[in-house]
Amino acid sequence: MNPFGHREHETLIEMSATTDDFSILTDFQNPDSPGEEANGTLYEINSNADSELPGNSEIDKHHQSKDSVFFRDGIRRIDFVLSYIDEPVKEGDKKAERRKEFEINLEKSGLELETEDKKESENGKTYFVKIHAPWEVLSTYAEVLNIKVPIKENDIPPPMENPLHFVLKPFRLPENVMHPEPDYFTAPFSKQKQELFLIEDENSFFSPATRNRIVYYILSRCHYGTEEGKKKFGIKRLLNNATYTAAYPLHDCQYWKKARDEKCESERFTLYMQWARFAQFYKEQPLDLIRKYYGEKIGIYFAWLGFYTEMLFLAAIVGLICFLYGLITMDDSNSSKQICDPEIGGQIIMCPLCDKRCEFWRLNTTCEPSRYSHLFDNVATLFFAIFMGIWVTLFLEFWKRRQARLEYEWDLVDFEEEQQQLQLRPEYEAKCTKRKKNPVTQEIELVVKRSKVNLLSKLFLCWMSIVFWISLIIASMIAVIVYRLAVYAAFASIMENNQLEDNPISSLLTPQLATSVTASCLNFVIIMILNFLYERVAIWITDMEIPRTHLEYENRLTMKMFLFQFVNYYSSCFYVAFFKGKFAGFPADYTYMFNKWRNEECDPAGCLIELTTQLTIVMAGKQIWGNIQEAIVPWIWNWWGRRKARNNPENLYSRWEQDYDMQTFGGLGLFYEYLEMVIQFGFITLFVASFPLAPLLALLNNILEIRVDSWKLTTQFRRPVASKAHSIGVWQEILNGMAILSVVTNAFIVAFTSDMIPRLVYYYAYSEYEHSLMDGYISSSLSIFNVSDFKEKSMPNENPMNITLCRYRDYRYPPDHERKYMHTMQFWHVLAAKMAFIIIMEHVVFIVKFFVAWLIPDVPSEVKARVKREKYLTQKILHEYELYKLKEKLSGRQYCEDAEKQVIATEGKVQLSEAM
């Protein structure tokens, strides 16, 4: 192909220093055309709602099938669609003026528009403006956006095949699905070096994902007029003020069948058949095809989610083994045997669980909960906590290697966030009022004028809002605790000893468990409500900060939302794990919240079973609710939007109308997906010592999550605008922080929430029995209290058994001792053992973690070698090309016309650099 046979055009960058708007106008007019007059005429033809549009006849409409993704000529691809409803009111006139100016400027930038009249729409009200980016526009902005394109087929030998490849064959997808394109050496596109690139067909050289990315870049920066003395621009503003109702790229076909047009790749159909159906849950993901169709940002998310799910498989197996160990040894637990024994637990009278209304109760009434607590409170718990500390390190390190491999395969090695600094947010550009020299690049840049007072007031308002909402979470948690205390007293007064002994269900449902279940459900409802409210507050705060780039915007919003949800989801678990039962006091001096409600006590077998209950309800409830929101809600909305169209013939319900009736994925769609998975990651790492089955629940959820996300993205949502990303971004740092915190939390759970350390101290230091060293442990862990020492408000109203002495969970001297109710030496030994265990476990796990991290390189050696080899060969090709062009110039065979075009293109490129 001879690139110099194309008509060259001039790129004009206009920047106004007197206004706060920055606009890019790319003029692609034909030098022989009348310019503005022609554009104006074209607009009148395309957008006059009351005129008979060319090609809108019934004959032409008949050829517009469901699968059509082209203009009426069947040649020009539809790269983007805008829709609007003509409003016959004063506000509608204003919107029409905005649309007219906006579309004229789009045509000036070189885009081609074709409008579908509302008479041809399914509802008879909606106009559709179809946008096509010709080669000149694509080639210009491909250079601006530094898009890499093929220059030569990759001749580096592929890595050696896995010897176990045949074993994994049932899980493989066809090669044409996994690798839809050959592997090429690539280089950033340059208009001046077009013959260097492998351009076989201009219409298909840039993928549809790249095309819609370029068009959206233009749409987000095209101005539409001046209002209130300020230039206004960007499709986002026009959507916000309802000038347009939607803006979206098209899917390439129906998801359930291939397109009839051979020029359509039908990639959506392939993705649905090979990826989005739940029947394919055991298959690998076609990441290259996902990346090609949706862009790198969505591709990297599914790569991370798939890798996370694969790693969960190992954690789930180990957790299940630990759970089965607890199940098998449940009847061998000495603690539960002693509690259930009528001669031991049946003879121990426990102090009342609440003031006044509660009665004395026998220890063996908690027999069933103590037996089930052994499922999660055994020696395997300690092993699993240490294992998960190492597992999380392996997961993060191996993901870095997987990510490095994807960076190479997807041409993202040289992609850095700094490149996105050129792509300022339109909202930031609209606020730019001054210029400032960049101290690094020494270039003049547009910046937002911020006074110190205004900046401080905004920061104060933002952070005060965050503090307020976090305080609201803490207040709601305190309210749930108060609920627990109040309901606990009610349950304790209702559940009498006789009922507990006769009813097997009541024997399991103790006051502690009943309170924990109901409080956990209430807490989950409050969590969902606060999440719904704070999400909007966080977006409002971030918008008010006016971040410079999309990357900054997402990072700031991520930190706010994660900090909030961290407190929101985990605060109740932290309370049960580290506070409940730790500050209850003892019968002679109970501790009261607000001097009214007596603090909760743990079950004689410990609080671990309650932490497990809390974790299970919140984690499972979140996963179920999340899947309902992600799958069922979009399906209902889409069904409701398409209900009228089912009676219309296929040729009347076009591709753009079908996509118009779908839900919008949105710029923050992936943000919520990441946030959901990171919160889940916290559940299976921060509190996994209390629930070894948490990784198994997460694994089952993620297997469903991958297919739900792929199904909704392929069938229920409009096609998102493609965007680049070479990593999971700030989420990587969040995961690293949670991995470190998980070691600390699990060490504290084993030490303070589990009953393991007190049992070990008794086993080695206080056992008085030679044949069975754990005999007498329960009696040793319960102190004696004289009923006559009760305070007036704590004394039960009734004492039918005439109890004089009762027991409570603590290590204190008996009432007849000279150090009455003071802590015994066993208490201090247990406390010292707990602290020693925490220090030893943390140091051991951290040493192993850091050693493993050091041992595993972030980038595989073969990837490093291939990257260096590709860079060398690419530079060699470019160098040879430059030499060839230089020889052509020196030999005098270069045409003057071509040289003039190169000068014009170079000047345009310089203007672009200065403007950006």
CSV table of all heavy atoms in Angstrom, one decimal, residues 17-52:
chain,number,residue,atom,x,y,z
A,17,ALA,N,-6.5,31.2,26.0
A,17,ALA,CA,-6.0,31.5,27.3
A,17,ALA,C,-6.9,32.4,28.1
A,17,ALA,O,-6.8,32.5,29.3
A,17,ALA,CB,-4.7,32.2,27.1
A,18,THR,N,-7.9,32.9,27.4
A,18,THR,CA,-8.8,33.9,28.1
A,18,THR,C,-10.1,33.2,28.6
A,18,THR,O,-10.8,33.8,29.4
A,18,THR,CB,-9.3,35.0,27.1
A,18,THR,OG1,-10.0,34.4,26.0
A,18,THR,CG2,-8.1,35.8,26.6
A,19,THR,N,-10.3,31.9,28.3
A,19,THR,CA,-11.4,31.2,28.8
A,19,THR,C,-11.0,30.0,29.5
A,19,THR,O,-9.8,29.7,29.5
A,19,THR,CB,-12.4,30.7,27.6
A,19,THR,OG1,-11.6,29.8,26.8
A,19,THR,CG2,-12.8,31.9,26.7
A,20,ASP,N,-11.9,29.3,30.2
A,20,ASP,CA,-11.6,28.2,31.0
A,20,ASP,C,-11.8,26.9,30.3
A,20,ASP,O,-11.9,25.8,30.9
A,20,ASP,CB,-12.3,28.2,32.3
A,20,ASP,CG,-13.8,28.0,32.1
A,20,ASP,OD1,-14.2,28.2,30.9
A,20,ASP,OD2,-14.5,27.8,33.1
A,21,ASP,N,-12.0,27.0,29.0
A,21,ASP,CA,-12.2,25.8,28.2
A,21,ASP,C,-11.1,25.5,27.3
A,21,ASP,O,-10.5,26.4,26.7
A,21,ASP,CB,-13.5,25.9,27.3
A,21,ASP,CG,-14.7,25.6,28.1
A,21,ASP,OD1,-14.7,24.5,28.8
A,21,ASP,OD2,-15.7,26.3,28.0
A,22,PHE,N,-10.8,24.2,27.1
A,22,PHE,CA,-9.7,23.8,26.2
A,22,PHE,C,-10.3,22.9,25.2
A,22,PHE,O,-11.0,22.0,25.5
A,22,PHE,CB,-8.7,23.0,27.0
A,22,PHE,CG,-7.7,22.2,26.2
A,22,PHE,CD1,-6.7,22.8,25.5
A,22,PHE,CD2,-7.9,20.8,26.1
A,22,PHE,CE1,-5.9,22.1,24.7
A,22,PHE,CE2,-7.0,20.1,25.3
A,22,PHE,CZ,-6.0,20.7,24.6
A,23,SER,N,-10.2,23.3,23.9
A,23,SER,CA,-10.9,22.5,22.9
A,23,SER,C,-9.9,22.1,21.8
A,23,SER,O,-9.0,22.8,21.4
A,23,SER,CB,-12.1,23.3,22.3
A,23,SER,OG,-11.6,24.5,21.7
A,24,ILE,N,-10.2,20.9,21.2
A,24,ILE,CA,-9.4,20.4,20.1
A,24,ILE,C,-10.3,20.4,18.9
A,24,ILE,O,-11.3,19.8,18.9
A,24,ILE,CB,-8.9,19.0,20.4
A,24,ILE,CG1,-8.0,19.0,21.6
A,24,ILE,CG2,-8.1,18.5,19.2
A,24,ILE,CD1,-7.5,17.6,21.9
A,25,LEU,N,-9.9,21.2,17.9
A,25,LEU,CA,-10.6,21.2,16.6
A,25,LEU,C,-9.6,20.6,15.5
A,25,LEU,O,-8.6,21.2,15.3
A,25,LEU,CB,-11.0,22.6,16.2
A,25,LEU,CG,-12.0,23.3,17.1
A,25,LEU,CD1,-12.3,24.7,16.6
A,25,LEU,CD2,-13.3,22.5,17.2
A,26,THR,N,-10.0,19.5,15.0
A,26,THR,CA,-9.2,18.9,13.9
A,26,THR,C,-9.8,19.1,12.6
A,26,THR,O,-10.9,18.5,12.4
A,26,THR,CB,-9.0,17.4,14.2
A,26,THR,OG1,-8.6,17.3,15.6
A,26,THR,CG2,-8.0,16.8,13.3
A,27,ASP,N,-9.3,19.9,11.8
A,27,ASP,CA,-9.9,20.3,10.5
A,27,ASP,C,-9.4,19.4,9.4
A,27,ASP,O,-8.3,19.3,9.1
A,27,ASP,CB,-9.5,21.8,10.2
A,27,ASP,CG,-10.3,22.3,9.0
A,27,ASP,OD1,-11.1,21.5,8.5
A,27,ASP,OD2,-10.2,23.5,8.7
A,28,PHE,N,-10.4,18.6,8.8
A,28,PHE,CA,-10.1,17.7,7.8
A,28,PHE,C,-10.8,18.1,6.5
A,28,PHE,O,-11.2,17.3,5.7
A,28,PHE,CB,-10.5,16.3,8.1
A,28,PHE,CG,-9.6,15.7,9.2
A,28,PHE,CD1,-10.1,15.7,10.5
A,28,PHE,CD2,-8.4,15.2,8.9
A,28,PHE,CE1,-9.3,15.2,11.5
A,28,PHE,CE2,-7.6,14.7,9.9
A,28,PHE,CZ,-8.0,14.7,11.2
A,29,GLN,N,-11.0,19.4,6.2
A,29,GLN,CA,-11.7,19.8,5.1
A,29,GLN,C,-10.9,19.6,3.8
A,29,GLN,O,-9.7,19.7,3.8
A,29,GLN,CB,-12.1,21.3,5.2
A,29,GLN,CG,-13.0,21.6,6.4
A,29,GLN,CD,-13.2,23.1,6.6
A,29,GLN,OE1,-13.0,23.8,5.6
A,29,GLN,NE2,-13.6,23.5,7.7
A,30,ASN,N,-11.6,19.3,2.7
A,30,ASN,CA,-11.0,19.2,1.4
A,30,ASN,C,-10.6,20.6,1.0
A,30,ASN,O,-11.5,21.6,1.1
A,30,ASN,CB,-12.0,18.6,0.4
A,30,ASN,CG,-11.4,18.3,-0.9
A,30,ASN,OD1,-10.5,19.0,-1.3
A,30,ASN,ND2,-11.8,17.2,-1.5
A,31,PRO,N,-9.4,20.9,0.5
A,31,PRO,CA,-9.0,22.2,0.1
A,31,PRO,C,-9.9,22.8,-0.9
A,31,PRO,O,-10.0,24.0,-1.1
A,31,PRO,CB,-7.6,22.0,-0.3
A,31,PRO,CG,-7.1,20.8,0.3
A,31,PRO,CD,-8.3,19.9,0.5
A,32,ASP,N,-10.5,21.9,-1.7
A,32,ASP,CA,-11.4,22.4,-2.8
A,32,ASP,C,-12.8,22.6,-2.4
A,32,ASP,O,-13.6,23.1,-3.2
A,32,ASP,CB,-11.3,21.4,-4.0
A,32,ASP,CG,-9.9,21.2,-4.5
A,32,ASP,OD1,-9.2,22.2,-4.4
A,32,ASP,OD2,-9.6,20.1,-5.0
A,33,SER,N,-13.2,22.2,-1.2
A,33,SER,CA,-14.5,22.3,-0.8
A,33,SER,C,-14.8,23.7,-0.2
A,33,SER,O,-13.9,24.4,0.2
A,33,SER,CB,-14.8,21.3,0.3
A,33,SER,OG,-14.1,21.6,1.5
A,34,PRO,N,-16.1,24.1,-0.2
A,34,PRO,CA,-16.4,25.5,0.3
A,34,PRO,C,-16.2,25.6,1.8
A,34,PRO,O,-16.6,26.7,2.3
A,34,PRO,CB,-17.8,25.7,-0.1
A,34,PRO,CG,-18.4,24.3,-0.3
A,34,PRO,CD,-17.2,23.4,-0.7
A,35,GLY,N,-15.8,24.7,2.5
A,35,GLY,CA,-15.5,24.8,4.0
A,35,GLY,C,-16.8,24.9,4.8
A,35,GLY,O,-17.6,24.0,4.8
A,36,GLU,N,-16.9,26.0,5.5
A,36,GLU,CA,-18.0,26.1,6.5
A,36,GLU,C,-19.4,25.9,5.8
A,36,GLU,O,-20.3,25.3,6.4
A,36,GLU,CB,-17.9,27.5,7.2
A,36,GLU,CG,-16.7,27.6,8.1
A,36,GLU,CD,-16.8,26.7,9.3
A,36,GLU,OE1,-18.0,26.3,9.7
A,36,GLU,OE2,-15.8,26.5,9.9
A,37,GLU,N,-19.5,26.5,4.6
A,37,GLU,CA,-20.8,26.4,4.0
A,37,GLU,C,-21.1,24.9,3.7
A,37,GLU,O,-22.3,24.5,3.9
A,37,GLU,CB,-20.7,27.2,2.7
A,37,GLU,CG,-22.1,27.2,2.0
A,37,GLU,CD,-22.0,28.1,0.7
A,37,GLU,OE1,-20.9,28.7,0.5
A,37,GLU,OE2,-23.0,28.1,0.0
A,38,ALA,N,-20.2,24.2,3.3
A,38,ALA,CA,-20.4,22.8,3.0
A,38,ALA,C,-20.8,22.0,4.2
A,38,ALA,O,-21.7,21.2,4.2
A,38,ALA,CB,-19.2,22.1,2.3
A,39,ASN,N,-20.1,22.3,5.3
A,39,ASN,CA,-20.4,21.6,6.6
A,39,ASN,C,-21.8,22.0,7.0
A,39,ASN,O,-22.5,21.2,7.6
A,39,ASN,CB,-19.3,22.0,7.6
A,39,ASN,CG,-18.1,21.2,7.4
A,39,ASN,OD1,-18.1,20.1,7.0
A,39,ASN,ND2,-16.9,21.9,7.7
A,40,GLY,N,-22.1,23.2,6.9
A,40,GLY,CA,-23.4,23.7,7.3
A,40,GLY,C,-24.5,23.0,6.5
A,40,GLY,O,-25.6,22.6,7.1
A,41,THR,N,-24.3,22.9,5.2
A,41,THR,CA,-25.3,22.2,4.4
A,41,THR,C,-25.4,20.8,4.7
A,41,THR,O,-26.5,20.2,4.8
A,41,THR,CB,-24.8,22.3,2.9
A,41,THR,OG1,-24.7,23.7,2.6
A,41,THR,CG2,-25.9,21.7,2.0
A,42,LEU,N,-24.3,20.1,5.0
A,42,LEU,CA,-24.3,18.7,5.4
A,42,LEU,C,-25.1,18.5,6.7
A,42,LEU,O,-25.8,17.6,6.8
A,42,LEU,CB,-22.9,18.2,5.6
A,42,LEU,CG,-22.8,16.7,5.9
A,42,LEU,CD1,-23.4,15.9,4.9
A,42,LEU,CD2,-21.3,16.3,6.1
A,43,TYR,N,-24.9,19.5,7.6
A,43,TYR,CA,-25.7,19.3,8.8
A,43,TYR,C,-27.1,19.4,8.6
A,43,TYR,O,-27.9,18.7,9.2
A,43,TYR,CB,-25.2,20.4,9.8
A,43,TYR,CG,-26.0,20.4,11.1
A,43,TYR,CD1,-25.7,19.5,12.1
A,43,TYR,CD2,-27.2,21.1,11.2
A,43,TYR,CE1,-26.5,19.4,13.2
A,43,TYR,CE2,-28.0,21.1,12.4
A,43,TYR,CZ,-27.6,20.2,13.4
A,43,TYR,OH,-28.4,20.1,14.5
A,44,GLU,N,-27.5,20.4,7.7
A,44,GLU,CA,-29.0,20.6,7.5
A,44,GLU,C,-29.6,19.3,6.9
A,44,GLU,O,-30.7,18.9,7.2
A,44,GLU,CB,-29.2,21.7,6.5
A,44,GLU,CG,-28.8,23.1,7.1
A,44,GLU,CD,-29.7,23.4,8.3
A,44,GLU,OE1,-30.9,23.0,8.3
A,44,GLU,OE2,-29.3,24.1,9.2
A,45,ILE,N,-28.8,18.6,6.1
A,45,ILE,CA,-29.3,17.4,5.4
A,45,ILE,C,-29.4,16.3,6.5
A,45,ILE,O,-30.4,15.5,6.5
A,45,ILE,CB,-28.3,16.9,4.3
A,45,ILE,CG1,-28.4,17.9,3.2
A,45,ILE,CG2,-28.7,15.5,3.8
A,45,ILE,CD1,-27.4,17.6,2.1
A,46,ASN,N,-28.4,16.2,7.4
A,46,ASN,CA,-28.4,15.1,8.3
A,46,ASN,C,-29.3,15.2,9.5
A,46,ASN,O,-29.7,14.3,10.1
A,46,ASN,CB,-26.9,14.9,8.8
A,46,ASN,CG,-26.1,14.2,7.8
A,46,ASN,OD1,-26.6,13.6,6.8
A,46,ASN,ND2,-24.8,14.3,7.9
A,47,SER,N,-29.5,16.5,10.0
A,47,SER,CA,-30.2,16.6,11.3
A,47,SER,C,-31.5,17.3,11.2
A,47,SER,O,-32.1,17.5,12.3
A,47,SER,CB,-29.2,17.4,12.2
A,47,SER,OG,-29.0,18.7,11.7
A,48,ASN,N,-32.0,17.7,10.1
A,48,ASN,CA,-33.3,18.3,10.0
A,48,ASN,C,-34.4,17.3,10.3
A,48,ASN,O,-34.6,16.4,9.5
A,48,ASN,CB,-33.5,19.0,8.6
A,48,ASN,CG,-34.8,19.8,8.6
A,48,ASN,OD1,-35.6,19.7,9.5
A,48,ASN,ND2,-34.9,20.7,7.6
A,49,ALA,N,-35.0,17.5,11.4
A,49,ALA,CA,-36.0,16.4,11.9
A,49,ALA,C,-37.2,16.3,11.0
A,49,ALA,O,-37.8,15.2,10.9
A,49,ALA,CB,-36.4,16.7,13.3
A,50,ASP,N,-37.6,17.4,10.4
A,50,ASP,CA,-38.9,17.4,9.7
A,50,ASP,C,-38.7,17.1,8.2
A,50,ASP,O,-39.7,17.0,7.5
A,50,ASP,CB,-39.6,18.8,9.8
A,50,ASP,CG,-39.9,19.1,11.3
A,50,ASP,OD1,-40.2,18.1,12.0
A,50,ASP,OD2,-39.8,20.2,11.7
A,51,SER,N,-37.5,17.0,7.7
A,51,SER,CA,-37.2,16.8,6.3
A,51,SER,C,-37.2,15.3,6.0
A,51,SER,O,-36.9,14.5,6.9
A,51,SER,CB,-35.9,17.5,5.9
A,51,SER,OG,-34.8,16.9,6.5
A,52,GLU,N,-37.3,15.0,4.8
A,52,GLU,CA,-37.2,13.6,4.4
A,52,GLU,C,-35.7,13.3,4.2
A,52,GLU,O,-35.1,13.8,3.3
A,52,GLU,CB,-37.9,13.3,3.0
A,52,GLU,CG,-38.0,11.9,2.6
A,52,GLU,CD,-38.8,11.1,3.6
A,52,GLU,OE1,-39.7,11.6,4.2
A,52,GLU,OE2,-38.5,9.9,3.7
